[in-house]
Structure formats: structure tokens, C-alpha cells
Amino acid sequence: MPPTDPGLSLSSADPRQLPPECRALSEDGRRPPAPASGPLLDNLAGWGAADTPAGPFALVPVRPDRDLDRITGWMNDPAVAAFWELAGPPETTAAHLRGQLDGDGRSVPCLGVLAGVPMSYWEIYRADLDPLARHYAARPQDTGLHLLIGGAGDRGRGLGSALLRATADLVLDHRPRCTRVIAEPDLRNTASVAAFLSAGFRYADEIELPGKRAALMVRDRARRHLL
């Protein structure tokens, strides 16, 4: 994927600054799940939207009664299933989401909503509290992310890099104690590794994880305006 515009800026974290479609999805007549409002990820539900070259982008915490069918469809896309390994009936996706939603808020599943359209799935998590921390030199407050882009038409044109950069900036802007954002894409997923590099992440190491060999990608707070 080509490099993205380095001049991304963030809008206010006030949810009222979200586009109407995003605000409706976020509120939807209910409060967000409690873990998304918790301290482990500094109230992710209230982060607001980031400006990107493709429009405003927001992370909206998942609500299974609203989002399960959409996410299940994405998980059954062969290009996604090859790396997420969650293809199957809605119960398979529901069990994966439940493991996070029933937890203490150290991992929050989200829809990525771009210009009012839900088009990606994200997991924002405390890497220092995750089993991943056994496989690299973790620092307190390290924040990790997983993602998939749902539609084939949104892949392969640089959009992933723009959203990765915006999401890393959201983390660093709203988590002042976090000094870096971590990711561990499968080494076989060369398009994903390239997207992280274009988004200002650096290749830090190659690590062996259960089920995959991964590239440890790091976006450093100290270098965020240089890359």
C-alpha cells in the first residue's frame, strides 16, 4: 500500500463531534458496554473521531445484538478467515466477542466507522496485560491492536495504512501513559505488514506466537511526527 498523508489531525473527543451516522451507531439508544468506558483503556468509548484523507473515522464499541451478523460475514470472507481463523456460524463469532465483552475491559472490540459507514473490525487491547507480553519486552501501558477490513473494495488501495495511522494516533492522544502502540501481524500477511510500515510503524522483531510467526510492529510516541 502507498504511504498515507502524514498530516492527519484529530477532531475533538467529544462524541457530539462525530458525524450523525457515527453518533447514532455509537449511542443507538443505549450506553456503551461498561468495559469500553473503563479505566484500562482510558474510556475508549469517548475518544471521538479522527480525520483521515477518506473522511472522519471512529471506533465504536461492538454491541452483538446490532453487529454480530455484520462481523460474522466479514469473518467468513476467505481472505479474512485465512488469518483470523474464525469462519463459521454466528455462534463462533459471538464466542470470540463474548471473551472480550465479559472481561475487565483490557480488550475492547470495535467497529471502524468511516464517513458514517461501518467497514472494519478492530480490537484495541492492553498488550502489557495480554499473553503477548510473554513474547516480547513489554512496557507498562503498551496498547495493541488487531484489525480486519470488511469489504474487498476497501483493500489494496492504501486505506488500511490511513486507518492504522489514525487509530494509533487516537490511542496516543487519548492514552497519555502509553508510549507505544503494538501489533503482531502474521509474517505471511505481507500486505498487512506493508500497511503497518506505511502507517509509521517500525518492524521491531520476529516473534513466535501460538499458531503463527509474527512481525512485531511498533509505533513509538516519540517518533510519531517523524514517520
Side-chain angles (χ1 to χ4, degrees):
M1 297 182 181
T4 64
D5 180 353
L8 295 175
S9 61
L10 296 181
S11 64
S12 168
D14 187 340
R16 292 172 296 180
Q17 298 299 314
L18 293 172
E21 299 90 341
C22 293
R23 189 166 63 247
L25 187 63
S26 180
E27 295 168 354
D28 205 17
R30 304 187 184 188
R31 297 181 63 186
S37 301
L40 290 181
L41 283 167
D42 295 288
N43 187 26
L44 182 154
W47 286 1
D51 293 329
T52 81
F57 177 76
L59 296 169
V60 176
V62 163
R63 216 182 67 209
D65 63 320
R66 180 192 63 204
D67 304 323
L68 180 60
D69 288 346
R70 185 191 308 273
I71 298 171
T72 298
W74 291 342
M75 291 297 184
N76 280 278
D77 181 321
V80 172
F83 297 103
W84 280 77
E85 300 181 345
L86 287 172
E91 290 77 13
T92 300
T93 302
H96 179 75
L97 296 173
R98 193 179 309 117
Q100 299 171 81
L101 295 173
D102 291 347
D104 59 5
R106 69 183 60 194
S107 182
V108 177
C110 298
L111 290 183
V113 180
L114 180 64
V117 179
M119 46 72 65
S120 54
Y121 170 75
W122 299 72
E123 294 172 352
I124 311 299
Y125 68 98
R126 283 285 298 273
D128 60 323
L129 303 180
D130 189 82
L132 175 65
R134 304 171 191 156
H135 301 275
Y136 81 106
R139 297 178 187 171
Q141 303 293 331
D142 275 357
T143 304
L145 57 85
H146 301 135
L147 81 151
L148 67 86
I149 294 180
D154 289 328
R155 303 173 196 152
R157 57 186 182 91
L159 184 58
S161 295
L163 300 186
L164 282 167
R165 183 180 291 272
T167 300
D169 282 343
L170 281 171
V171 171
L172 294 172
D173 277 358
H174 294 284
R175 302 209 65 236
R177 296 172 295 169
C178 171
T179 63
R180 58 188 187 170
V181 181
I182 304 294
E184 23 79 23
D186 193 308
L187 274 173
R188 297 171 300 160
N189 193 347
T190 55
S192 179
V193 173
F196 278 103
L197 291 171
S198 293
F201 286 72
R202 61 182 173 86
Y203 176 90
D205 201 359
E206 185 175 310
I207 55 177
E208 193 71 46
L209 299 177
K212 70 176 181 181
R213 189 151 188 83
L216 181 66
M217 310 299 296
V218 178
R219 180 111 191 266
D220 300 287
R221 177 183 294 278
R223 304 179 67 190
R224 64 183 294 201
H225 298 301
L226 303 176
L227 296 174

